[in-house]
């Protein structure tokens, strides 16, 4: 036997030995070497294929598991956040005014300062809990920051109280129209305090607002002197708050630890400082005697409505911040103006306000003037 034959035979024996150990040769019936080679080769290929399939299946399984794990670790994405935030802002702002009107007029609750005080207390508790849990960031209330912010807070408290007093006597639709006067006062304040000049379209919109407010008041069938007086004071205080806030904000940022003052910190600061001032005003306006006598405080449903008004007040801060972040100042102001239209309609229908065609036209005129003003401000910024 030559060397080549010996090598071939040894190679064949080695293959047979390997396959015998794998249980393959037991199935071979032909004694010929070519048959054995063919069967052995097919068996090896089959085993190799089977092994590769196992590896592929295992690999795919691992890959799928890995994809699931990655997918599970990814944060859930909310689509159309601009639309959702806009709806949340509109619903919370409309609901807040309607619920306040329901508490003050529906329940005939004659303690507007106490209502404001309770709402601010709810806001302080919730914001403090969220800050302590690390869900939001707020600035620590240092004595220096409190000193800087006290003048703004006094105006803030007056703005809230006068809003409560006017809302008790005036229907929601007229309140939204009369609030347009705030824009006129603010524009005049910007011109004299900050030397800011507005274009003709802005002044035209402001003029239309004044006309609508006057005509709305003349045609208002439920006109109330006390309510209108409180609303005019509220317009001046709201404009003062807006103008004063611009001056104090820069100083307040300098005395904070981070050099910034976000909206959550402002909510906590305003509402916390309003509590002691609110308590003093409750005694000055003699609301304590009324609170002891009224049976409303013994009704669980009344407390539920009051608490919901506090939660809605806080929701406005959160949703407005979310909406402003998702869109921008121009869209925010325009949507805020358009939001007054469904609010006015809801106020008339829900509280069954007796009105006339002239008054409805005046209200609609005022609401459209507000939209025109928002668009004029957008063009002025651009």
């Amino acid at each position: 036997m030559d060397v080549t034959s010996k090598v071939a035979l040894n190679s064949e024996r080695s293959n047979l030995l390997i396959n015998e150990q794998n249980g393959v040769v037991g199935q071979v019936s032909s004694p010929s070497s070519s048959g054995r080679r063919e069967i052995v080769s097919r068996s090896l290929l089959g085993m190799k294929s089977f092994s590769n399939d196992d590896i592929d299946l295992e690999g795919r399984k691992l890959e799928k598991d890995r994809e699931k794990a990655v997918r599970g670790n990814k944060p859930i994405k909310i689509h159309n956040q601009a639309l959702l935030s806009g709806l949340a802002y509109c619903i919370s702002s409309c609901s807040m005014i309607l619920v306040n009107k329901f508490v003050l007029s529906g329940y005939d609750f004659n303690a507007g300062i106490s209502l404001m005080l309770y709402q601010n207390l709810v806001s302080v508790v919730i914001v403090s809990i969220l800050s302590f849990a690390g869900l939001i960031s707020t600035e620590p209330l240092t004595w220096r920051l409190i000193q800087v912010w006290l003048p703004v807070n006094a105006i803030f408290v007056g703005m809230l109280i006068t809003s409560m007093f006017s809302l008790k006597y005036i229907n929601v639709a007229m309140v939204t129209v009369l609030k347009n006067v705030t824009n006129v006062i603010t524009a005049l304040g910007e011109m004299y305090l900050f030397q800011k000049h507005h274009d003709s379209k802005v002044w035209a919109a402001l003029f239309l607002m004044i006309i609508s407010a006057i005509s709305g008041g003349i045609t208002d069938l439920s006109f109330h002197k006390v309510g209108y007086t409180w609303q005019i004071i509220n317009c001046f205080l709201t404009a003062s708050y807006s103008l004063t806030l611009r001056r104090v904000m820069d100083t307040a940022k300098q005395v904070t630890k981070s050099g910034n003052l976000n909206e959550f910190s402002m909510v906590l600061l305003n509402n916390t400082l309003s509590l002691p001032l609110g308590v003093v005003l409750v005694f000055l306006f003699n609301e304590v005697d009324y609170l002891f006598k009224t049976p409303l405080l013994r009704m669980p449903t009344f407390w539920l409505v009051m608490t919901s008004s506090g939660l809605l007040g806080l929701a406005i801060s959160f949703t407005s911040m979310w909406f402003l972040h998702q869109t921008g100042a121009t869209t925010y102001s325009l949507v805020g103006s358009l939001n007054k239209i469904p609010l006015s309609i809801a106020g008339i229908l829900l509280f069954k306000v007796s009105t006339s065609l002239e008054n409805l036209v005046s209200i609609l005129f005022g609401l459209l003037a507000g939209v025109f003003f928002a668009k004029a401000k957008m063009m002025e910024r651009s």
Side-chain angles (χ1 to χ4, degrees):
M1 186 181 292
D2 57 3
V3 177
T4 306
S5 300
K6 286 181 179 179
V7 172
L9 184 59
N10 290 332
S11 176
E12 188 177 345
R13 284 176 180 171
S14 299
N15 288 333
L16 284 171
L17 183 61
I18 292 170
N19 287 284
E20 185 179 3
Q21 291 173 354
N22 290 321
V24 177
V25 179
Q27 299 175 4
V28 180
S29 58
S30 174
S32 64
S33 61
S34 60
R36 284 199 297 269
R37 286 195 192 99
E38 186 179 355
I39 291 172
V40 170
S41 299
R42 288 178 181 175
S43 299
L44 286 173
L45 287 172
M47 289 179 66
K48 184 176 181 182
S49 175
F50 182 75
S51 179
N52 287 340
D53 288 343
D54 281 348
I55 293 170
D56 290 343
L57 288 171
E58 187 68 23
R60 288 194 200 102
K61 186 178 178 182
L62 289 171
E63 190 175 349
K64 286 179 181 178
D65 291 342
R66 198 178 298 114
E67 287 177 1
K68 285 180 182 178
V70 172
R71 253 185 260 119
N73 292 329
K74 282 184 180 179
I76 299 171
K77 289 185 178 180
I78 302 174
H79 299 287
N80 299 323
Q81 286 202 39
L83 179 61
L84 288 174
S85 59
L87 286 173
Y89 166 68
C90 291
I91 292 170
S92 59
S93 59
C94 287
S95 301
M96 173 68 177
I97 296 174
L98 294 173
V99 171
N100 279 345
K101 178 67 176 175
F102 181 64
V103 171
L104 296 167
S105 298
Y107 279 102
D108 196 22
F109 187 61
N110 296 318
I113 301 173
S114 300
L115 177 60
M116 180 272 301
L117 187 64
Y118 182 72
Q119 289 175 348
N120 291 358
L121 178 62
V122 171
S123 297
V124 170
V125 171
I126 294 176
V127 172
S128 300
I129 291 172
L130 293 176
S131 178
F132 182 76
L135 298 175
I136 60 173
S137 61
T138 56
E139 290 293 328
L141 303 184
T142 61
W143 176 242
R144 178 62 180 148
L145 180 60
I146 291 172
Q147 284 180 315
V148 171
W149 203 261
L150 270 177
V152 181
N153 185 255
I155 300 172
F156 172 76
V157 172
M159 181 181 70
L160 293 182
I161 292 172
T162 53
S163 177
M164 294 287 186
F165 288 166
S166 64
L167 194 60
K168 179 173 176 59
Y169 299 105
I170 309 176
N171 66 74
V172 174
M174 278 309 303
V175 167
T176 56
V177 172
L178 293 172
K179 278 184 178 292
N180 286 336
V181 178
T182 303
N183 295 323
V184 180
I185 301 170
T186 304
L188 292 171
E190 287 176 337
M191 188 173 66
Y192 286 104
L193 295 175
F194 304 107
Q195 287 74 46
K196 184 177 180 180
H197 298 284
H198 301 286
D199 58 24
S200 57
K201 290 182 179 179
V202 173
W203 287 115
L206 293 172
F207 178 73
L208 293 175
M209 287 178 178
I210 295 173
I211 297 298
S212 66
I214 294 173
S215 61
I218 293 172
T219 57
D220 187 7
L221 298 179
S222 58
F223 180 86
H224 199 288
K225 285 183 182 179
V226 176
Y228 272 74
T229 302
W230 282 119
Q231 185 55 50
I232 292 170
I233 297 171
N234 175 260
C235 290
F236 278 96
L237 288 173
T238 305
S240 300
Y241 178 74
S242 175
L243 295 169
T244 309
L245 190 63
R246 299 182 187 184
R247 288 181 174 274
V248 176
M249 185 69 76
D250 294 332
T251 309
K253 288 179 180 179
Q254 293 174 5
V255 298
T256 57
K257 290 185 178 181
S258 66
N260 193 17
L261 194 67
N262 59 25
E263 188 165 338
F264 298 124
S265 299
M266 286 174 57
V267 170
L268 183 61
L269 187 60
N270 263 332
N271 288 282
T272 302
L273 294 181
S274 69
L275 296 180
L277 183 57
V279 171
V280 172
L281 291 173
V282 165
F283 283 95
L284 286 177
F285 280 78
N286 200 25
E287 287 189 359
V288 178
D289 292 338
Y290 171 78
L291 293 174
F292 277 114
K293 293 176 183 177
T294 181
L296 292 173
L297 297 183
R298 293 186 288 274
M299 295 171 57
T301 53
F302 179 73
W303 281 104
L304 181 63
V305 175
M306 282 231 301
T307 305
S308 66
S309 68
L311 294 174
L312 286 169
L314 186 60
I316 293 174
S317 300
F318 283 90
T319 54
S320 61
M321 191 174 182
W322 181 27
F323 184 45
L324 193 61
H325 177 71
Q326 292 297 324
T327 54
T330 53
T331 306
Y332 176 81
S333 61
L334 183 60
V335 170
S337 299
L338 291 170
N339 191 38
K340 293 178 180 179
I341 298 174
L343 173 62
S344 301
I345 296 172
I348 292 172
L349 295 177
L350 290 175
F351 297 100
K352 300 176 181 178
V353 177
S354 58
T355 184
S356 62
L357 180 62
E358 293 83 1
N359 186 246
L360 288 174
V361 171
S362 299
I363 291 170
L364 181 61
F365 186 67
L367 296 173
L368 293 177
V371 176
F372 181 55
F373 173 75
K375 292 188 72 175
K377 291 289 287 183
M378 288 167 61
M379 294 176 66
E380 187 181 59
R381 288 194 193 100
S382 61

